Amino acid sequence: MIRTALRHHAPGDLEEAAALLAAHGERAAVVGGGTVLVPSLTRGERDLDHVVDLRRLGLDELSGTDQELRIGASVSYADVLSAPPFPGAAQLLQVAAGGITGGPQIRNQGTVCGSASYANPSSDMPGVLVALGAQMHLHGPEGGRTLPAGEFFVDAFRVAARRGELLVAVSVPTRPDRIGYYKFKLAEGSWPIATASAVLPDPDGSLTGATVTLGAVSAVPLRLDLAPLLDGNGDLAVPAAEVDGWVAAQVPEPWDDELAPGDYRRTVAGVVLRRALQRAEENR
Amino acid sequence: MTEALPTTTAPESAIPTRELSLTVNGRPCRVVCQDRQLLVEVLREQLRLKGTHIGCLNGDCGACTVELDGKAIKSCLVLAPAAEGSEIITLEGVGPDGGGLDPLQQAFWDNDGFQCGFCVPGQIFAARQLLARTLEPSDAEIREAVAGNICRCTGYQTIIESVRAAAQAIGEGTEGLVPEVDTPA
Amino acid sequence: MTLTPEAPATAAGSPVGRSVRRKDGDLILTGHGAYLDDIEFPGSVLHAALLRSPHPAARILRMDTSAAQARPGVRVVLTGAEAAAATQPIPHFYNPAMVGGRSTDFHPLAVDTVHYAGEPVAAVVAESLHEAQAALRDIVVDYETLPFVLDAEQALAPEAPRVFEGWEDNAVARLPFMEGDATAALAGAPHTLTGEISIQRYQTTPMETRGYVAAWSPDGRLTMHASTQNPHPLRSHLAQVFGIGEHQVRVVATRLGGGFGHKFHSYPEEALVALLARRAGAPVKWLESREESLLVGAREYLHRFEVGFDAEGTILALQDRILANVGALGSSGGWAQAFVAGLTVPGPYKITHYDVEVAVVATHKAPWNGARGFGKESATLMMERVVDLVAQRLRMDPAEVRRRNLIPADAMPYWTAMKHIDSGEYHAVLEEVLEAADYEGQRAEQTTARAHGRLLGIGIGFELAPEGADLAGSLVRGHDTATVRIDRTGGATVLTGVTSPGSGNETGIAQMVAAELGIGVDDVRVVQGDTDLCPYGYGNFSSRSLTVGGAAAVLAARDVRATLAQAGAHLLKTRVEDCSFADGHLIDTASGQRLPLPEVVNAVMTLGGVGLGIDESQLESTRTYSPENVHLVPDEAGRVSVYPSYAYSAHVATVEVDRETGKVTVLSYTGVHDCGTVINPMFVRGQFLGAIAMGIGGALWEESVYGADGRLRSDSLKRYLVPRAPDLPWIETRSRETPSPFALLGVKGGGESGVSGAIGAIANAVNDALLPLGVHVHEMPLSAPRVLRALTDQRIRP
């Protein structure tokens, strides 16, 4: 039950959308799949006068070059899943989309870009996009600009969009990296407690150059370079307990909510990291 | 201490409204709604289709599920204006045109796939989407398919049995189902 | 499960005992279920919204409703003081004073003091719900916040803030349940062990939340449509609150989208909505939001136990001190679950010396209402852990310790201090579940798994489910009433005082009546929930609908059948005892002559009293069935028993604990239950499956968490995690029928069975998995963070 005098806009071009968002500032927001914004309005947690609907903007592109894959703001998880297998590292996105909490309905409705814009620490997409080094394409009153995912996620529930800007697409590289994704959640209905996205670029199969990005364990995704843990051959040189200790030390301010306390997230961060690596190994 | 809540002052008359064109259960219709209304509210209030239920208004329970342009969606997450021009099927529109039950609904009845019945929209539409993809679903696939819905009565097991039975019946091309259970005389 | 196709309802093919599909299934499956919010009422219905306190304890210094009043569309704004002035206090569902406890008055809205965060303090009625909710924001309340206490133990400290003014301390009641001499028996026992186990605040989350629509007619009559489990007692209460004749109130319980105890009456919103409708001069509707619904609690207990046993594993004595955190009490009877938690001990076990005390403690959390299990789950959890701890200490198999302590079948009926257990074959059911679960095989697999470092655990849970409570002196009675009518088309109508939460008892009752009258189940219409139509009854609680509601209908149907038989015998010139009923016919079993039932009915109506051998043409009967085996007057040993029937079940769960994260996965599950004679096997299985799923959810994930600010944090289904399909294993079930010797048709309650056994089995399985590490978790739910803490925290070694 939305209490405010909400006005729904479905602009036909980006300029109009940006103008609306700029004109109304805090009183306006973008609605994509609606899975987060709409219930927050219903519950009275957000108070808006305007929503800007993306549906007429033609942002449903899901297209690739040999370098990257571009995913428009209206592309749902279901669209991602029903597309042909993504090449290379981009496959991570498909793996993660298959495990989105909320069942098939939410996968039909929720979008990659919507999740990114919401920037909930306890969710899949921020970590995945940071892991891939995704480029975030914004459009605002001054035109378009692109930011790396690592700079896009500023804080819990806060992204680096300026007044009037909306996320119109993300592009992810299709480098032939091996990837591994591991998500830990308490139960089917739980949002992720900790996620790990492993990206292994070495064609010879070692962990040289490997990164693992942790999601849901802190306010913004943490991209960890595994170099300190590797020996000269690019293999993990330390036992599991030591990996876990090192990882925990990288999470000074763990995310804390009613599902899991911060110290728990810090404790399992190493576990999910190792399991993501293991999955990447299995993807060899 | 006084709770500081944001206030709104607009009277009902100043709430933005519009006319929507929808096709609901095969019938084109035009309906006047407020911009702030949810699709589930328009279906229930303006169109008086009460089979789409409200269980949480938070996208968690699935009781408000309908099919929108061929996809199962939670209608509490959709602002009504965003449904402009779409084709919607509600639980009332699932069965055959002349009334009665389709094989999936029939299987839910025969296999006790619900008790109180409140969650039925979510289960039926999730199962429809699954069976459109495969008629040989594994139990794990059925569980995944209905994961967006909460049922507090059945423990889901008879839902799984119902979907299995429906898949088999549809696969065998039987018109209705051969009921495994007693049909009261 | 093999289900046989329907045969005609002949004597050999009675619909009783068959898996008949539920009535109205086609309506529900096509979206025509007509739950409360689906019903279209004539005229325009106004909408109510409630302002709830953000503070757990506060004094309301000032409330300014003028801005809200002035808003467009707003028709009524009501404060607590105004509501209290216009109504009598809300009667308690079950007053703690009845068991010597403390009590207080409750009103539709908080009057000057707030006792929990979420307590309603003001109400708005407007032309639309949007307007009503928006107007809430314009009500200005000045609160003086007060100190508050959320923990039961802290609440009992002398310096603790009092939840209710004038109370000496926060104890609502201290309830003793004892038999023998536990102190002496503990002192003399060869072995003793002590422990502590807690179970979390929980709630049942029916998919349809509560709701009420109230309307006053010009003649001063109140009609309330309610998503409630107890329409008649609600009518009584509304009449009392408004000081009007009970005949001036009609309550219609609509089709429920789940009950589970959440919809027991005596909530403040019931009287409130009626009052708002009176003030507005128009019908008013209020629907509970999911957020509001999640405020309702249940089941927060701490057990401190000591058990004495011998080297053979025989339990000699048990002492249990239970702390129950019932929140801010309220008029709803949820606190009474703490009474049942104490009463249920020692469950299915023959323990002759025990001493239980339940301290029922008020805190600044929201009040309880019923939750399927109703306290029995807490007692079962404690008992089942105790049995496993004894086994662990003696290095015995937990199944063997159960064998040595279960009440033997030949000891039935069996008296404990508060229970007269009707019947049961506990040992046989235990063996059956062990066999069905391949317990021995699983133990062997466990040995292998453990050798590979896996934390695999197997847990047994044995549950005793006292059902059909009869709490004399209150409106929570065990008896119920039904009217059965037969009409000229040979169809029957049953008007019953029991209601269905969505479980299908209307279909069960139809089966029972159809069997008596030899007609089809579809020829029986069952009317429930409308106090203008149905005889006074207590609705739906304590798994009693078929044991008493069904039995009353059977008695009434037999009266009708007797009249028909007498007339039929006259018409066919045969003996009454030769008349039987099947296929919609009256049959002379001596000659094989058949008369269609409508002809017999027609004859009675048109010729009764003038030549059919009957004096009256009465074709309906109203009968009340009171459960036998209720002993409300203490016997010479001082024993009483408020529950007539005792269903029971045995469970085996196998889990694996992720050593690195603490996450528990249920790998397999088997349950065997006995609820006496089964009317509809498909429904009984459905109830059992659903109850087990609820038990697993409560054991592993569901938890109502409060923040340090005294507010509920688990206020959405993203934060209160109920099981979803992928969370649960396949549940293998079997059933056994030991008819109750004390119940008509031998039926025992079957609606709750499974919750408690599942909680016990899961708790035992998880702790069994942790056994090789020498740690245990005695804090529910067994969520991953809690289990991992146990795995890493050496301080809690037993």
Side-chain angles (χ1 to χ4, degrees):
Chain A
M1 202 57 49
I2 296 171
R3 299 154 187 84
T4 55
L6 195 72
R7 189 177 293 279
H8 180 271
H9 306 267
D13 62 58
L14 281 174
E15 277 54 51
E16 192 187 342
L20 278 166
L21 290 170
H24 301 293
E26 294 288 298
R27 303 298 300 168
V30 173
V31 61
T35 58
V36 169
L37 182 77
V38 174
S40 75
L41 295 171
T42 306
R43 287 167 70 92
E45 291 161 359
R46 291 199 69 182
D47 216 27
L48 298 177
D49 295 327
H50 303 272
V51 290
V52 178
D53 192 326
L54 304 178
R55 62 198 307 260
R56 289 180 57 228
L57 294 175
L59 299 177
D60 45 8
E61 61 174 329
L62 183 49
S63 59
T65 65
D66 51 357
Q67 303 281 307
E68 60 172 32
L69 202 68
R70 191 177 161 102
I71 294 149
S74 295
V75 173
S76 69
Y77 297 117
D79 295 334
V80 168
L81 289 166
S82 62
F86 288 178
Q91 198 201 337
L92 183 61
L93 208 54
Q94 268 177 324
V95 173
I100 295 291
T101 294
Q105 294 104 310
I106 295 297
R107 292 198 274 278
N108 284 338
Q109 293 173 274
T111 62
V112 174
C113 287
S115 172
S117 302
Y118 181 43
N120 179 0
S122 291
S123 61
D124 295 78
M125 284 304 129
V128 166
L129 293 170
V130 169
L132 291 173
Q135 298 293 314
M136 316 297 280
H137 306 292
L138 296 154
H139 194 95
E142 271 98 61
R145 66 178 178 123
T146 295
L147 272 179
E151 292 170 31
F152 180 76
F153 298 103
V154 177
D155 201 347
F157 305 104
R158 217 156 68 76
V159 297
R162 301 182 190 133
R163 186 178 174 121
E165 279 186 335
L166 68 154
L167 182 65
V168 292
V170 300
S171 45
V172 292
T174 53
R175 289 185 310 266
D177 303 342
R178 280 175 296 139
I179 56 100
Y181 188 63
Y182 190 86
K183 164 154 84 171
F184 179 75
K185 56 183 188 176
L186 300 182
E188 180 62 28
S190 139
W191 283 15
I193 302 300
T195 70
S197 305
V199 179
L200 282 52
D202 182 8
D204 297 333
S206 84
L207 293 178
T208 306
T211 61
V212 178
T213 305
L214 297 174
V217 301
S218 53
V220 294
L222 281 177
R223 190 179 192 185
L224 303 178
D225 183 338
L226 297 189
L229 302 175
L230 305 181
D231 63 17
N233 298 325
D235 292 328
L236 216 48
V238 295
E242 224 169 288
V243 173
D244 293 359
W246 180 82
V247 173
Q250 315 300 311
V251 191
E253 286 178 66
W255 184 246
D256 184 299
D257 65 18
E258 46 288 309
L259 291 182
D263 62 352
Y264 180 77
R265 287 186 150 91
R266 185 176 7 223
T267 308
V268 298
V271 178
V272 296
L273 177 140
R274 287 187 283 108
R275 292 182 182 180
L277 281 176
Q278 197 183 329
R279 293 218 166 144
E281 291 291 322
E282 289 160 6
N283 279 346
R284 229 167 154 161
Chain B
M1 167 197 148
T2 303
E3 276 300 288
L5 284 170
T7 57
T8 55
T9 50
E12 193 83 341
S13 57
I15 305 293
T17 59
R18 66 181 57 218
E19 193 179 70
L20 282 183
S21 294
L22 305 169
T23 303
V24 180
N25 297 331
R27 288 198 199 92
C29 60
R30 301 177 82 79
V31 54
V32 175
C33 75
Q34 295 182 341
D35 277 22
R36 67 183 180 182
Q37 278 190 289
L38 306 174
L39 178 58
V40 65
E41 291 167 350
V42 170
L43 290 172
R44 289 180 54 84
E45 292 163 24
Q46 276 94 327
L47 297 173
R48 305 202 157 167
L49 292 166
K50 310 286 189 168
T52 306
H53 299 143
I54 292 176
C56 69
L57 288 179
N58 203 41
D60 299 323
C61 78
C64 67
T65 302
V66 300
E67 219 167 81
L68 187 138
D69 292 335
K71 289 177 181 158
I73 57 108
K74 294 179 176 176
S75 63
C76 75
L77 301 177
V78 178
L79 288 170
E84 170 62 35
S86 61
E87 286 193 32
I88 295 166
I89 299 176
T90 68
L91 191 59
E92 289 90 340
V94 168
D97 277 344
L101 306 178
D102 82 346
L104 183 59
Q105 291 168 312
Q106 188 70 46
F108 268 75
W109 197 8
D110 293 341
N111 292 278
D112 210 30
F114 63 94
Q115 288 174 24
C116 81
F118 204 77
C119 71
V120 159
Q123 314 298 356
I124 291 287
F125 285 110
R128 258 164 84 93
Q129 185 169 316
L130 173 71
L131 297 185
R133 185 165 60 77
T134 173
L135 286 177
E136 290 177 341
S138 66
D139 282 5
E141 283 176 302
I142 300 173
R143 287 184 191 272
E144 277 302 319
V146 300
N149 312 316
I150 297 173
C151 170
R152 285 298 256 178
C153 297
T154 62
Y156 305 101
Q157 196 149 308
T158 54
I159 292 173
I160 294 163
E161 290 167 330
S162 301
V163 178
R164 274 187 202 159
Q168 196 184 342
I170 297 166
E172 287 168 1
T174 47
E175 287 249 308
L177 288 181
V178 183
E180 270 191 277
V181 294
D182 298 358
T183 311
Chain C
M1 187 170 62
T2 317
L3 300 168
T4 48
E6 164 83 341
T10 61
S14 157
V16 162
R18 288 174 167 265
S19 291
V20 173
R21 296 183 306 194
R22 65 188 58 240
K23 282 185 172 285
D24 292 351
D26 46 353
L27 290 181
I28 287 169
L29 284 159
T30 53
H32 300 99
Y35 303 86
L36 178 85
D37 192 31
D38 304 344
I39 296 171
E40 304 258 1
F41 294 92
S44 63
V45 176
L46 303 175
H47 298 266
L50 308 185
L51 184 69
R52 292 176 181 271
S53 166
H55 309 295
R59 202 156 285 131
I60 299 170
L61 300 178
R62 188 180 69 95
M63 195 179 295
D64 182 354
T65 60
S66 52
Q69 296 268 17
R71 285 183 64 93
V74 170
R75 301 278 283 269
V76 178
V77 182
L78 191 73
T79 67
E82 291 164 348
T87 50
Q88 296 298 311
I90 299 167
H92 288 260
F93 183 92
Y94 193 63
N95 196 327
M98 291 193 58
V99 288
R102 291 198 179 97
S103 188
T104 187
D105 283 347
F106 294 96
H107 301 279
L109 296 165
V111 179
D112 44 26
T113 310
V114 167
H115 306 95
Y116 64 95
E119 184 169 1
V121 297
V124 174
V125 174
E127 282 154 26
S128 76
L129 185 52
H130 292 92
E131 290 168 316
Q133 291 197 339
L136 293 181
R137 300 178 165 198
D138 284 353
I139 299 175
V140 181
V141 187
D142 287 345
Y143 293 101
E144 177 197 351
T145 59
L146 300 171
F148 61 92
V149 60
L150 301 175
D151 175 78
E153 193 127 50
Q154 288 168 16
L156 286 180
E159 68 280 7
R162 300 290 185 270
V163 178
F164 298 108
E165 221 166 301
W167 283 27
E168 215 170 284
D169 63 22
N170 287 315
V172 176
R174 289 178 188 277
L175 308 167
F177 302 88
M178 56 179 67
E179 196 176 2
D181 186 344
T183 310
L186 280 170
H191 301 275
T192 59
L193 62 81
T194 60
E196 210 177 279
I197 189 160
S198 64
I199 187 163
Q200 79 280 13
R201 186 178 165 101
Y202 166 94
Q203 77 120 250
T204 59
T205 323
M207 292 326 297
E208 180 210 32
T209 55
R210 287 183 297 139
Y212 312 103
V213 181
W216 296 79
S217 52
D219 61 0
R221 213 161 178 257
L222 167 65
T223 297
M224 177 176 271
H225 286 74
S227 179
T228 184
Q229 292 177 248
N230 321 90
H232 274 102
L234 174 56
R235 182 185 79 175
S236 302
H237 284 197
L238 288 170
Q240 195 173 326
V241 167
F242 291 101
I244 58 176
E246 202 166 324
H247 58 286
Q248 290 292 81
V249 182
R250 176 188 180 196
V251 174
V252 181
T254 48
R255 183 189 300 283
L256 291 200
F260 313 117
H262 183 86
K263 294 175 183 170
F264 290 163
H265 72 109
S266 286
Y267 279 104
E269 291 92 349
E270 296 154 347
L272 178 61
V273 174
L275 178 59
L276 291 171
R278 181 134 100 174
R279 286 290 164 99
V284 170
K285 178 193 278 194
W286 173 76
L287 295 173
E288 185 181 51
S289 70
R290 180 56 63 187
E291 210 170 343
E292 292 174 310
S293 190
L294 285 163
L295 278 170
V296 178
R299 199 189 279 179
E300 186 175 356
Y301 304 92
L302 171 69
H303 294 261
R304 293 198 171 94
F305 56 83
E306 181 171 8
V307 56
F309 49 101
D310 65 20
E312 279 71 51
T314 305
I315 298 174
L316 304 171
L318 176 70
Q319 192 186 65
D320 187 20
R321 295 285 172 264
I322 307 175
L323 267 181
N325 183 342
V326 300
L329 190 58
S331 45
S332 49
W335 72 272
Q337 289 163 111
F339 177 86
V340 177
L343 174 155
T344 302
V345 181
Y349 301 106
K350 189 174 180 174
I351 301 173
T352 42
H353 300 283
Y354 61 86
D355 165 13
V356 179
E357 190 201 69
V358 188
V360 184
V361 185
T363 65
H364 289 95
K365 290 184 176 178
W368 285 10
N369 204 352
R372 196 186 202 177
F374 211 79
K376 300 157 209 171
E377 74 294 328
S378 187
T380 303
L381 172 69
M382 182 278 298
M383 278 310 312
E384 292 306 291
R385 280 305 297 145
V386 160
V387 172
D388 269 35
L389 289 169
V390 168
Q392 186 187 328
R393 175 69 65 84
L394 297 174
R395 298 184 186 283
M396 283 173 65
D397 190 294
E400 186 54 32
V401 177
R402 285 180 176 76
R403 284 187 194 105
R404 295 184 186 191
N405 290 285
L406 286 171
I407 302 165
D410 60 14
M412 295 289 177
Y414 182 84
W415 260 116
T416 72
M418 286 291 285
K419 300 184 290 291
H420 186 245
I421 301 175
D422 54 355
S423 63
E425 295 173 1
Y426 298 170
H427 287 87
V429 162
L430 175 66
E431 297 311 325
E432 190 168 349
V433 80
L434 296 176
E435 184 263 315
D438 185 21
Y439 181 74
E440 293 305 325
Q442 287 212 52
R443 283 285 179 209
E445 278 172 37
Q446 181 186 36
T447 306
T448 315
R450 279 181 173 164
H452 288 93
R454 289 171 63 195
L455 299 179
L456 203 70
I458 303 165
I460 302 173
F462 203 109
E463 152 195 298
L464 179 69
E467 300 294 7
D470 187 4
L471 302 171
S474 74
L475 283 181
V476 187
R477 291 305 308 274
H479 64 266
D480 223 291
T481 304
T483 298
V484 172
R485 296 172 180 153
I486 191 150
D487 59 46
R488 285 173 28 131
T489 59
T493 300
V494 184
L495 309 170
T496 171
V498 298
T499 57
S500 170
S503 59
N505 65 45
E506 69 291 332
T507 309
I509 291 170
Q511 286 176 261
M512 294 165 91
V513 168
E516 295 300 325
L517 298 175
I519 59 179
V521 177
D522 279 353
D523 297 324
V524 182
R525 186 170 130 78
V526 179
V527 179
Q528 300 179 301
D530 186 336
T531 61
D532 268 9
L533 297 175
C534 300
Y536 200 105
Y538 298 94
N540 168 248
F541 69 96
S542 204
S543 305
R544 58 194 286 283
S545 299
L546 293 193
T547 49
V548 293
V554 165
L555 293 177
R558 286 179 181 172
D559 288 346
V560 172
R561 190 180 64 182
T563 304
L564 295 173
Q566 222 170 340
H570 189 89
L571 291 167
L572 293 175
K573 302 190 174 26
T574 183
R575 298 185 313 165
V576 170
E577 9 346 338
D578 288 335
C579 292
S580 76
F581 292 81
D583 282 342
H585 285 74
L586 182 146
I587 302 162
D588 173 14
T589 49
S591 68
Q593 292 183 91
R594 297 158 69 91
L595 271 180
L597 217 47
E599 277 183 34
V600 187
V601 175
N602 201 45
V604 173
M605 290 181 79
T606 56
L607 297 170
V610 292
L612 276 179
I614 50 174
D615 297 333
E616 286 173 349
S617 296
Q618 187 170 340
L619 281 169
E620 72 175 66
S621 169
T622 298
R623 291 289 291 266
T624 296
Y625 179 80
S626 297
E628 291 178 58
N629 196 35
V630 172
H631 307 270
L632 298 174
V633 179
D635 71 358
E636 63 287 351
R639 301 177 300 201
V640 295
S641 182
V642 300
Y643 284 104
S645 89
Y646 296 82
Y648 60 98
S649 58
H651 307 245
V652 173
T654 304
V655 304
E656 178 149 17
V657 175
D658 181 338
R659 188 190 285 268
E660 294 188 315
T661 63
K663 184 171 174 170
V664 176
T665 304
V666 186
L667 301 178
S668 67
Y669 198 101
T670 309
V672 178
H673 68 130
D674 181 352
C675 58
T677 306
V678 171
I679 305 299
N680 186 321
M682 182 163 74
F683 290 0
V684 166
R685 174 178 180 253
Q687 290 298 302
F688 194 46
L689 287 170
I692 289 170
M694 276 191 149
I696 295 174
L700 293 177
W701 308 293
E702 298 176 43
E703 184 176 16
S704 297
V705 180
Y706 273 77
D709 58 1
R711 298 182 195 174
L712 181 71
R713 294 182 77 187
S714 322
D715 62 351
S716 83
L717 297 172
K718 287 185 175 65
R719 301 184 179 115
Y720 186 87
L721 300 179
V722 301
R724 290 172 185 266
D727 291 317
L728 297 171
W730 186 259
I731 298 166
E732 203 58 52
T733 62
R734 290 196 192 174
S735 84
R736 188 178 187 87
E737 294 188 29
T738 314
S740 169
F742 301 106
L744 191 74
L745 306 182
V747 177
K748 303 178 192 178
E752 288 185 287
S753 291
V755 172
S756 311
I759 292 173
I762 296 287
N764 278 338
V766 171
N767 280 288
D768 186 52
L770 303 184
L771 210 54
L773 305 177
V775 298
H776 66 228
V777 208
H778 276 182
E779 203 186 319
M780 307 293 283
L782 301 168
S783 63
R786 249 187 215 104
V787 174
L788 189 67
R789 205 182 312 139
L791 279 166
T792 51
D793 188 350
Q794 297 303 307
R795 280 170 303 170
I796 60 168
R797 276 174 184 281

